[in-house]
Amino acid sequence: MSKIIEPLRGVHDVLPAQIAAWQHLERVAREVFANYGYQEFRVPLIEHTELFKRSIGDFTDIVEKEMFSFIDQGEDHITLRPEATAGIVRAVISNGLLREGRLRIWCMGPMFRRERPQAGRYRQFHQIDVEAFGFTGPDVDAEMILLSARLFKRLGLKGLKLLVNSLGTPACRAAYREKLAAYFGAHAASLDEDSRRRLVGNPLRILDSKNPDMQRIVADAPLLLDSLDPESRSHFESLCAQLRSAGIEYHVDPRLVRGLDYYTRTVFEWTTDALGSQSTVCAGGRYDGLIAQMGGVDTPGIGWAMGQERVVMLLEKQDLPHLAARPQVYLVMVGGPAELPGLKLAEQLRDAWPKLALQINLGGGSFKTQFKRADKSGADYALVLGEEEVARGVVAVKPLRRELAQEDCPLERINERIGMLLGLKVGNDHG
Ligand code: ATP
Ligand code: MG
């Protein structure tokens, strides 16, 4: 026998038994985005490596050690996208979408980061992303957060905590950077290797360190929030007032800096206690300078990304039996003469009811075997077609989940009968 090929480290399969939670999350997300007037946007999984280096920042975890990069046969330096914002910014610039000035979009799909795999941390994972371009005021910051709050609410997820902070303008960050450099410089002997490199390159990144020893030093570092410029302060206060008026509970966390360089002013995270150390389920912020920095017309931007694996883990802790995908009807066909009429019947029912979930028996088998399969499929009804039924022009309808008698239904009335039994509606309504 040949050797089995194992999956790569840190990637995972989503099995059919797990798909219900994924589809539920994605369906609810699409609904909520439509509620707020956001449109879907799809961007490539591969981009020039340069794009991520320039936008995410050289001294970030992602660019320093997590990117899957390679040189292709044409000598292009390519990276599998570690996050969506950079590609979206590239795409709105290269497609001239900012000419209208304003844009509200979302995107969903796989991301790649070469990190140490753990529960809730993978090398290929999935994000739901939202971005808005062209809005300067704090109203869009509030909208971004409300959108995420509504998504969690529709999903029925409770106990999530919202953390917010402001990073101010680049100028005020530059002044803060000096203060931080002085503070960490005084502790240089106790810094780990990453932090010592960042002390020279970008001391703000030390605040983002996951090393507990660094976090102890970080705890006493000066706070940016204390030296915020007046406009950023009033922007932040207005956002907080809007959150309060919308009834969204939040906590100001002056240590929150986020792992990417491009953020300005508002940053936020939703965290949970239910997933151990992988506690952040959604995170984002404003990036007013990024588009100009990437060669576009100076346009403010803001966005967030939600880790789908982590949200699915939370959903799986809840009971979601109603989501399990199963057929409504299983067609039992016994004997050669029943198979062609059976296939015809199945296609006729699918024509009549576009939303009907009907599974037919494949590969023959006795009545007993086929009924076992029908039962295992989880269907509500079995339709039974044997040689005798074919001869009489009927199909037997057998309820599988309730103690009701089996009935014979003339073939010409079966569409109507199934529609009635399952409460099906004609047409392609969303629902
Ligand atoms: P962390 O601090 O957990 O490394 P991050 O700051 O690197 O997160 P972002 O770049 O803000 O994460 O990504 C947004 C969200 O995507 C995270 O809050 C998390 O839910 C999810 N996420 C990020 N990296 C991974 C990963 N490797 N595996 C699974 N989900 C991830
Ligand atoms: Mg990370």
Side-chain angles (χ1 to χ4, degrees):
M1 232 166 56
S2 353
K3 194 170 162 262
I4 292 171
I5 298 179
E6 300 292 341
L8 290 169
R9 237 166 87 71
V11 306
H12 66 91
D13 305 304
V14 179
L15 304 180
Q18 303 168 314
I19 206 72
W22 284 83
Q23 289 183 344
H24 178 58
L25 166 59
E26 290 170 8
R27 187 167 48 241
V28 173
R30 282 171 205 278
E31 274 168 24
V32 173
F33 294 140
N35 291 153
Y36 285 77
Y38 283 65
Q39 282 186 309
E40 186 175 1
F41 200 59
R42 299 188 186 185
V43 290
L45 302 193
I46 51 174
E47 299 274 2
H48 290 293
T49 298
E50 181 61 18
L51 172 70
F52 302 111
K53 286 197 174 164
R54 245 169 77 189
S55 58
I56 297 171
D58 280 334
F59 293 92
T60 58
D61 277 348
I62 294 180
V63 171
E64 276 187 338
K65 49 194 172 197
E66 295 174 358
M67 294 207 298
F68 278 102
S69 301
F70 60 97
I71 302 173
D72 79 353
Q73 295 85 335
E75 306 277 293
D76 279 325
H77 289 247
I78 292 175
T79 293
L80 296 179
R81 66 178 186 192
E83 55 103 56
T85 308
I88 291 173
V89 164
R90 194 271 308 138
V92 299
I93 298 171
S94 49
N95 291 289
L97 298 185
L98 295 173
R99 264 181 238 129
E100 317 253 310
R102 296 171 155 208
L103 200 60
R104 286 188 251 196
I105 52 175
W106 63 270
C107 151
M108 200 184 283
M111 305 293 158
F112 305 85
R113 297 186 194 176
R114 202 170 186 293
E115 342 200 25
R116 195 167 67 78
Q118 299 160 60
R121 190 176 290 287
Y122 309 95
R123 291 183 172 181
Q124 175 175 336
F125 61 101
H126 299 76
Q127 284 184 341
I128 297 176
D129 276 87
V130 194
E131 317 283 345
F133 299 98
F135 303 91
T136 344
D139 49 355
V140 75
D141 305 38
E143 176 167 282
M144 277 286 147
I145 292 176
L146 289 176
L147 227 171
S148 56
R150 183 166 303 278
L151 180 47
F152 289 132
K153 188 168 148 193
R154 289 260 174 94
L155 291 169
L157 296 178
K158 297 203 180 72
L160 293 170
K161 194 170 164 190
L162 172 64
L163 308 177
V164 293
N165 189 23
S166 177
L167 301 180
T169 59
C172 120
R173 248 165 91 170
Y176 176 61
R177 195 178 149 138
E178 296 306 313
K179 276 196 206 168
L180 266 190
Y183 171 81
F184 286 121
H187 291 80
S190 332
L191 295 180
D192 64 11
E193 197 192 313
D194 272 355
S195 301
R196 243 174 277 151
R197 194 175 54 248
R198 288 169 178 187
L199 178 57
V200 184
N202 183 355
L204 248 103
R205 287 273 69 84
I206 303 176
L207 299 178
D208 210 36
S209 169
K210 294 206 168 57
N211 179 347
D213 294 336
M214 292 307 102
Q215 281 164 9
R216 272 189 287 280
I217 304 177
V218 163
D220 291 324
L223 296 178
L224 201 157
L225 209 53
D226 290 340
S227 50
L228 217 55
D229 58 284
E231 289 83 47
S232 295
R233 176 165 302 282
S234 86
H235 187 104
F236 188 58
E237 279 164 5
S238 166
L239 164 65
C240 293
Q242 290 181 59
L243 292 178
R244 285 193 298 274
S245 104
I248 304 285
E249 199 184 319
Y250 64 90
H251 306 266
V252 175
D253 178 357
R255 303 275 168 213
L256 185 67
V257 292
R258 311 275 309 109
L260 306 99
D261 271 354
Y262 50 58
Y263 288 113
T264 51
R265 293 197 168 153
T266 309
V267 288
F268 57 91
E269 282 192 7
W270 287 94
T271 63
T272 171
D273 290 334
L275 298 179
S277 54
Q278 269 41 269
S279 59
T280 307
V281 290
C282 174
R286 183 172 268 284
Y287 47 88
D288 288 345
L290 182 61
I291 297 175
Q293 182 193 318
M294 298 311 288
V297 185
D298 196 6
T299 311
I302 182 166
W304 55 248
M306 183 176 287
Q308 286 186 244
E309 279 76 4
R310 295 185 193 176
V311 175
V312 164
M313 285 162 88
L314 293 177
L315 288 172
E316 280 169 348
K317 289 180 189 281
Q318 304 185 139
D319 221 10
L320 297 167
H322 60 289
L323 292 176
R326 53 184 183 81
Q328 296 162 293
V329 174
Y330 189 97
L331 177 59
V332 170
M333 329 177 244
V334 182
E339 289 190 357
L340 288 181
L343 188 61
K344 200 168 148 199
L345 169 65
E347 288 300 290
Q348 167 199 321
L349 280 164
R350 292 179 181 126
D351 278 340
W353 307 112
K355 293 206 166 172
L356 171 67
L358 181 153
Q359 197 169 64
I360 67 170
N361 185 77
L362 292 178
S366 67
F367 272 112
K368 198 173 159 213
T369 315
Q370 294 200 31
F371 271 118
K372 263 195 201 152
R373 293 180 189 148
D375 205 46
K376 208 175 150 211
S377 76
D380 297 310
Y381 293 91
L383 291 183
V384 189
L385 209 55
E387 285 172 42
E388 195 223 356
E389 282 77 13
V390 174
R392 286 168 47 217
V394 299
V395 54
V397 182
K398 183 175 162 56
L400 295 171
R401 309 283 143 217
R402 286 180 296 163
E403 294 296 322
L404 293 175
Q406 172 172 330
E407 55 176 272
D408 280 346
C409 176
L411 273 170
E412 66 275 10
R413 309 243 348 245
I414 189 66
N415 286 2
E416 193 189 329
R417 187 75 190 127
I418 286 294
M420 210 198 80
L421 287 173
L422 296 171
L424 297 172
K425 288 191 218 82
V426 199
N428 274 322
D429 57 311
H430 305 280

